[in-house]
Each structure stands twice: as structure tokens, then as C-alpha cells.
């Protein structure tokens, strides 16, 4: 029998599932074909569950998740209905397959005991050695026939059965076309965990207590589409991009406070990647060699965390051309280190993306902006009228705004005054404070006479917005 027990390392970081779930398109494929498509769609961050009872398989997976040595980002489920399998159709099919270091493994999620199996099916010629107890993992090799979660045994005859055959790389695209993978269950806990795993060396992330997604960003639809294309999809569907050189260095440039950092954070949650944020100034150390070492550490961490998004703000502060001209600065050890790290990163397969941001693209050493380094340049401009409208909507969705306020007029006013995304957010906050002032609610809070009925009075009027806009314009 070509199925062998394994001793997997239990200490490898495991992430709980599921973020994705696959639905099977159409009913044209029989169960054996679907099984093959599921295998072909597997990558080293996904698990393929074959079950007749999804709830129970989820519980079992949760129970044994620590044993599964890969970060499970996607779950592909093949639901087996009664009568779909030959021979064993009254048994609960309940197992999962995952790929680890080029090998395929099966974990039994069975809730059916061996004893009961022998009693219920006395005529079957079971080989006990081939029965996988619940929660145990075995390596699969070519030709193994899997009938149910608790049994792996050779069988003769029958059209519809699960025969394990090593998936061919070239078929994975084809397999994906049979799978309609939808993001149905945002696993918020997972995102929170990812973001809260930032260590103390990482710049404080004010918004880290919630996962920022692309929906929190207004007016940057084209930028978001570009980032989905170059980062999110390649992380979420690695098998599609296996033979492609990815752009792992991306430069976001544009005026301050228009959403560059926000994009970095959203990218990480959209791709379920680890997010780390640095200001390039943090790399600089007066000790000889220390700055270069800091850069090496950041890149090392990015690869170790992969899939990961490393956001480096103010890249211009360390990678400036000497005189602000287009002269390359090859003699600078910091620039050289960055160049070296970027070319190493490009060669390695880890989905580790470095997103650098700057308000002064012109100041950056051109050697760093070449293809293969920070070779993809994306402008994050000042929002246009429609963009301001979207940002306004995002930031005001939880505010009580008086019905007679013309949002269009407010938004136009902001646009005429060249508001940034941050200005729009600030104007809404300020308008809210203006309401508290206007209604004397600050005093009430101070002398503890503020009551629930006062909450209902907090309605932002046109005058509150105008006052807020004027203050920001004056400060600009
Ligand atoms: P800097 O160049 O100064 O680092 P930045 O471009 O990285 O700025 P962010 O830090 O992303 O700007 O934006 C600051 C804040 O402004 C955000 O936290 C958010 O509240 C708001 N904001 C800016 N742009 C947008 C946007 N396009 N959509 C929604 N909110 C935005």
C-alpha cells in the first residue's frame, strides 16, 4: 500500500480557515472529476475538504488545525451527496487534502469509528492498516484510492471514486475555471490577528484595531484596480502566477494625506497578508553598517512573514539623489543595500511585496525606480470632485447629518479648496465638534448633566460644515 504515515512538524505557524470557499460550477462534472479539479486547484495555502457534512468537517478541522503545517488561507469544499459515490455512499466522506513542500497529505476528519465500520460493513474486506484514525495525517502517493474519511483502501470496479493522482501544474488553470471561488466569509478575527501581530518596532498603527479594506478608500478606484492586479490576485491565486516575474517593489507617489498608507493597510487585509509599516528614517543609524543591517532585517522579516506587505513611508528620505537631480547615487551604502535587497527579493519566490511611498518622487534615486526594483509607479493624486464625494460618504456614514444639508455643495466647496482625503475626514470630525459647541453639550458633559436625550440632538448642519471647512482652509 503506497500511503505512509508522516511526522509533520507541529510547531509551524498555522492559521485558521476559512477565508474562501469554492462553489462548483454546473452539474456537468461527476464526483471523480470534481475531486481531480479540487486537487489541481490546491496550492500551499489552501485545503481541499471532501465532506458530506460541512459543519462537522469544519469542527474537525478547527480541532486539528494545529496539526496542519501550512497557513490555510483558502478552503475548497467538495460536498458529497448521498448516492454520488460508488460502494461507500452511506458512509460519511470526511477528509481533507493539503499540499506541503510538493507532497500531498490527507487528514482524516472522520466522525465514524473503526469499530462501527466493521460492524456496519461486515462483508467488506478492510485492511485495518489502511484505515486512518480521526485527526491523523498520511502522505498520499499516486494511485491511492480514497473512499471515505476513515478508510483508505484499494477497491475494484466502480466509476465514481476518489483516486489520488498527482495533479499536473498545467491543469491548475483549467481546474480554477471549474471553481467559482468566492470570498463569502470575511474572517475578521483572522485579519485582526494579522494586524495585531505587528511588533513594537513597527510604527504605531492607529487604525490597527480594525481591518481596513478597499471599501474604506474613496476616489482611488483605478489605483485599487492596479493594486489588485499586481498584488492581491497574485497572493490569493499563486498557482496562476507561478511562472511570472512579479513586481514586488511598488512606489506610491503623490501629495501628502491622500491615502497612500491607507492603501498599504487595505492591501494587506485584502490579501490576508501580514502588514508591517516603517518610516524610512527609522533605518538610518549613526553606527557604521547599522543602517544597512536594518534594511536587511526588514527584508528578511518580509520574506519570513510572506505573504506580506511591507510599507515603507518617505522613501525619499533615504534614497535621495544628492542634489535633487536625476543623478544616480550608487556610492551611497543605503541605496546600494536597498538595491541589493530588492534584487534578492525579486529572485525569491516568496510573495513578499514592498510598497514604498513618497511625496517627492523626483528626489528618489533613479536606480531604485528601475524595473525589478521599485519598478511599478502608481500615482495617488489629490481627489477629484467625485473622489471627494466618495471619501465624504465613507467618513460620514455613521454621522447624523441634517436633511437640508446639500452634500453636493459641501463637496464642491471642499474640491474648490483642494481638500486632501485627510482634510475631508477632518472636516467631518470638526463639524461634529461644532455641533457640540453650538448646543452647549460640552458644558453638559463637564457638569455631568449630559443625558441620552442629548445624543439625539447631535445633528450636523450646513453651518457646522462651513465653519469646519473654513478652519481647515485657513490652516492650509
Ligand atoms: P503621507 O504622504 O502624509 O504619509 P498618506 O498619503 O499616506 O499621507 P494616509 O495616511 O493614507 O495618507 O491618509 C491619512 C488619513 O486621511 C487616512 O487615515 C484617512 O482617514 C484619510 N484619507 C486619506 N485619503 C483617503 C481616501 N482616499 N479615502 C478615505 N480616506 C482617506
Amino acid at each position: 500500500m503506497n500511503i505512509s504515515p508522516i511526522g509533520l512538524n507541529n510547531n509551524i505557524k498555522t492559521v485558521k480557515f476559512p477565508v474562501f470557499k469554492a462553489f462548483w460550477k454546473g452539474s456537468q462534472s461527476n464526483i471523480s472529476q470534481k475531486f481531480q479539479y479540487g486537487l489541481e486547484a490546491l496550492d500551499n495555502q489552501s485545503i481541499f475538504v471532501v465532506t458530506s457534512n460541512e459543519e462537522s468537517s469544519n469542527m474537525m478541522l478547527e480541532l486539528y488545525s494545529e496539526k496542519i503545517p501550512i497557513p490555510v488561507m483558502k478552503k475548497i469544499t467538495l460536498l458529497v451527496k448521498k448516492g454520488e459515490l460508488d460502494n461507500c455512499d452511506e458512509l460519511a466522506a470526511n477528509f481533507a487534502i493539503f499540499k506541503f513542500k510538493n507532497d500531498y497529505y490527507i487528514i482524516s476528519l472522520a466522525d465514524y469509528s473503526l469499530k462501527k465500520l466493521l460492524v456496519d460493513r461486515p462483508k467488506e474486506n478492510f485492511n485495518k492498516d489502511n484505515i486512518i484514525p480521526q485527526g491523523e495525517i498520511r502522505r498520499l502517493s499516486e494511485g491511492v484510492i480514497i473512499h471515505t474519511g476513515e478508510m483508505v483502501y484499494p477497491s475494484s470496479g466502480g466509476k465514481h471514486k476518489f483516486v489520488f493522482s498527482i495533479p499536473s501544474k498545467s491543469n491548475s488553470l483549467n481546474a480554477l475555471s471549474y471553481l467559482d471561488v468566492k470570498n463569502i466569509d470575511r474572517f475578521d478575527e483572522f485579519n485582526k490577528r494579522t494586524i495585531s501581530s505587528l511588533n513594537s518596532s513597527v510604527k504605531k498603527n492607529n487604525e490597527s484595531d480594525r481591518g481596513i479594506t478597499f471599501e474604506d478608500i474613496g476616489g482611488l478606484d483605478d489605483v485599487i484596480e492596479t493594486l489588485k492586479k499586481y498584488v492581491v490576485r497574485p497572493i490569493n491565486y499563486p498557482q496562476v502566477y507561478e511562472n511570472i516575474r512579479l513586481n514586488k517593489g511598488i512606489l506610491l507617489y503623490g501629495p501628502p494625506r491622500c491615502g497612500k498608507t491607507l492603501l498599504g493597510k487595505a492591501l494587506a487585509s485584502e490579501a490576508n497578508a501580514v502588514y508591517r509599516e516603517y518610516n524610512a528614517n527609522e533605518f538610518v543609524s549613526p553606527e557604521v553598517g547599522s543602517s544597512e543591517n536594518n534594511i536587511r532585517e526588514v527584508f528578511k522579516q518580509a520574506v519570513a512573514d510572506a505573504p506580506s506587505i511591507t510599507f515603507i513611508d518617505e522613501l525619499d528620505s533615504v534614497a535621495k539623489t544628492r542634489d535633487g537631480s536625476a543623478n544616480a547615487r550608487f556610492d551611497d551604502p543605503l541605496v546600494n543595500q536597498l538595491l541589493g535587497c530588492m534584487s534578492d527579493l525579486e529572485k525569491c519566490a516568496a510573495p513578499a511585496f514592498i510598497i514604498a511611498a513618497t511625496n517627492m518622487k523626483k528626489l528618489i534615486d533613479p536606480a531604485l525606480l528601475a524595473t525589478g526594483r521599485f519598478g511599478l509607479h502608481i500615482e495617488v493624486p489629490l481627489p477629484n470632485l467625485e473622489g471627494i464625494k466618495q471619501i465624504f460618504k465613507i467618513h460620514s456614514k455613521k454621522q447624523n447629518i441634517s436633511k437640508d444639508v446639500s452634500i453636493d455643495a459641501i463637496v464642491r466647496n471642499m474640491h474648490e479648496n483642494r481638500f486632501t482625503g485627510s482634510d475631508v475626514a477632518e472636516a467631518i470630525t470638526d463639524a461634529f465638534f461644532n455641533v457640540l459647541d453650538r448646543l452647549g453639550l460640552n458644558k453638559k458633559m463637564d457638569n455631568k448633566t449630559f443625558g441620552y436625550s442629548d445624543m439625539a440632538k447631535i445633528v450636523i448642519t450646513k453651518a457646522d460644515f462651513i465653519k469646519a471647512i473654513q478652519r481647515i482652509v485657513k490652516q492650509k
Side-chain angles (χ1 to χ4, degrees):
M1 181 66 172
N2 44 2
I3 185 161
S4 54
I6 52 156
L8 287 173
N9 178 358
N10 286 347
N11 298 326
I12 302 172
K13 182 181 86 177
T14 331
V15 174
K16 289 189 180 155
F17 53 88
V19 178
F20 290 91
K21 179 174 168 173
F23 296 96
W24 301 88
K25 283 183 189 166
S27 54
Q28 72 278 29
S29 338
N30 71 36
I31 194 91
S32 311
Q33 279 165 346
K34 284 179 179 175
F35 178 69
Q36 196 57 32
Y37 295 143
L39 288 174
E40 279 161 8
L42 265 184
D43 58 39
N44 48 15
Q45 291 178 4
S46 53
I47 194 150
F48 176 33
V49 178
V50 180
T51 180
S52 56
N53 180 341
E54 203 176 2
E55 217 176 306
S56 119
S57 67
N58 270 346
M59 269 166 47
M60 296 296 174
L61 266 181
E62 190 88 44
L63 189 65
Y64 298 115
S65 64
E66 293 303 319
K67 284 190 165 190
I68 300 169
I70 56 163
V72 180
M73 303 291 190
K74 277 180 256 175
K75 189 170 82 114
I76 300 161
T77 307
L78 173 53
L79 263 181
V80 183
K81 290 184 219 112
K82 204 169 162 56
E84 262 189 314
L85 272 178
D86 287 338
N87 302 330
C88 306
D89 49 13
E90 76 274 28
L91 291 178
N94 212 345
F95 60 88
I97 295 180
F98 60 89
K99 190 177 171 188
F100 177 59
K101 293 187 179 164
N102 290 330
D103 277 319
Y104 290 80
Y105 296 91
I106 181 170
I107 176 165
S108 165
L109 307 173
D111 48 6
Y112 204 87
S113 78
L114 170 61
K115 217 165 138 196
K116 190 165 181 325
L117 189 69
L118 297 174
V119 173
D120 284 2
R121 304 176 61 86
K123 286 188 197 134
E124 298 271 349
N125 188 16
F126 292 121
N127 176 348
K128 276 193 206 165
D129 296 339
N130 293 335
I131 294 175
I132 313 176
Q134 188 189 88
E136 282 203 15
I137 295 175
R138 302 271 197 277
R139 187 160 58 80
L140 284 168
S141 43
E142 192 76 34
V144 166
I145 298 169
I146 310 160
H147 269 262
T148 76
E150 50 274 86
M151 297 183 296
V152 177
Y153 67 99
S155 148
S156 55
K159 271 199 310 219
H160 300 154
K161 56 191 176 190
F162 301 139
V163 183
F164 176 77
S165 63
I166 294 166
S168 91
K169 265 190 195 171
S170 56
N171 279 346
S172 65
L173 259 182
N174 182 32
L176 280 172
S177 71
Y178 285 89
L179 285 170
D180 190 9
V181 181
K182 286 203 181 110
N183 186 354
I184 53 151
D185 248 345
R186 262 230 99 72
F187 203 60
D188 283 328
E189 278 312 307
F190 167 69
N191 287 333
K192 273 187 210 151
R193 237 179 314 146
T194 304
I195 292 172
S196 65
S197 74
L198 303 180
N199 66 29
S200 53
S201 77
V202 178
K203 192 174 154 187
K204 259 228 162 315
N205 177 355
N206 296 328
E207 282 147 309
S208 65
D209 50 346
R210 69 188 182 97
I212 290 172
T213 69
F214 287 147
E215 284 188 2
D216 299 307
I217 303 178
L220 294 173
D221 293 352
D222 292 348
V223 173
I224 290 172
E225 185 45 42
T226 309
L227 290 171
K228 279 186 184 168
K229 171 171 153 186
Y230 288 104
V231 182
V232 179
R233 289 177 204 127
I235 290 182
N236 287 340
Y237 293 91
Q239 64 276 63
V240 178
Y241 302 84
E242 220 160 44
N243 302 317
I244 283 292
R245 190 192 84 162
L246 294 171
N247 281 298
K248 294 202 188 144
I250 296 174
L251 182 79
L252 301 180
Y253 68 96
R257 316 301 291 158
C258 287
K260 295 185 289 298
T261 314
L262 217 51
L263 284 163
K265 290 176 185 166
L267 255 186
S269 22
E270 298 285 347
N272 288 307
V274 172
Y275 177 74
R276 289 180 189 274
E277 182 183 320
Y278 304 87
N279 187 302
N281 282 307
E282 290 174 57
F283 302 154
V284 184
S285 159
E287 265 172 65
V288 178
S290 192
S291 310
E292 295 92 299
N293 197 36
N294 288 343
I295 291 178
R296 279 195 298 274
E297 283 303 313
V298 167
F299 278 72
K300 214 164 104 187
Q301 186 69 53
V303 171
D305 286 339
S308 65
I309 303 293
T310 302
F311 186 85
I312 304 180
D313 207 359
E314 299 190 46
L315 182 69
D316 49 276
S317 63
V318 292
K320 264 194 207 121
T321 50
R322 202 170 280 162
D323 50 6
S325 70
N327 295 333
R329 203 181 163 198
F330 288 109
D331 57 330
D332 188 299
L334 252 161
V335 171
N336 275 336
Q337 188 59 63
L338 266 170
L339 287 171
C341 286
M342 285 309 292
S343 62
D344 288 348
L345 186 68
E346 201 209 322
K347 280 178 223 139
C348 100
F353 289 81
I354 313 287
I355 314 291
T358 181
N359 305 324
M360 288 175 283
K361 184 182 169 204
K362 274 194 189 143
L363 293 189
I364 296 177
D365 195 313
L368 266 171
L369 300 182
T371 50
R373 280 94 180 239
F374 290 99
L376 178 64
H377 310 166
I378 305 175
E379 187 182 3
V380 182
L382 208 61
N384 60 18
L385 188 64
E386 183 50 36
I388 290 187
K389 201 169 180 174
Q390 284 179 23
I391 300 170
F392 186 94
K393 263 196 190 152
I394 290 167
H395 286 278
S396 65
K397 64 178 174 238
K398 290 189 183 147
Q399 298 307 323
N400 217 347
I401 297 176
S402 170
K403 295 225 162 46
D404 54 6
V405 172
S406 160
I407 306 289
D408 281 345
I410 299 287
V411 162
R412 238 180 292 124
N413 189 341
M414 290 175 164
H415 182 239
E416 279 157 14
N417 284 298
R418 299 180 58 79
F419 266 35
T420 63
S422 174
D423 292 339
V424 176
E426 175 119 346
I428 292 161
T429 304
D430 231 35
F432 171 87
F433 281 112
N434 291 340
V435 181
L436 301 185
D437 286 343
R438 180 167 52 77
L439 298 177
L441 296 177
N442 297 322
K443 269 205 189 114
K444 282 187 139 188
M445 283 189 257
D446 290 347
N447 61 26
K448 312 230 171 350
T449 55
F450 185 91
Y452 278 116
S453 60
D454 291 315
M455 287 289 288
K457 294 182 196 156
I458 305 176
V459 179
I460 307 177
T461 64
K462 178 180 168 190
D464 299 319
F465 277 121
I466 299 295
K467 201 169 159 195
I469 292 172
Q470 280 168 351
R471 190 205 36 96
I472 291 166
V473 171
K474 209 166 149 196
Q475 261 177 223
K476 268 167 112 44

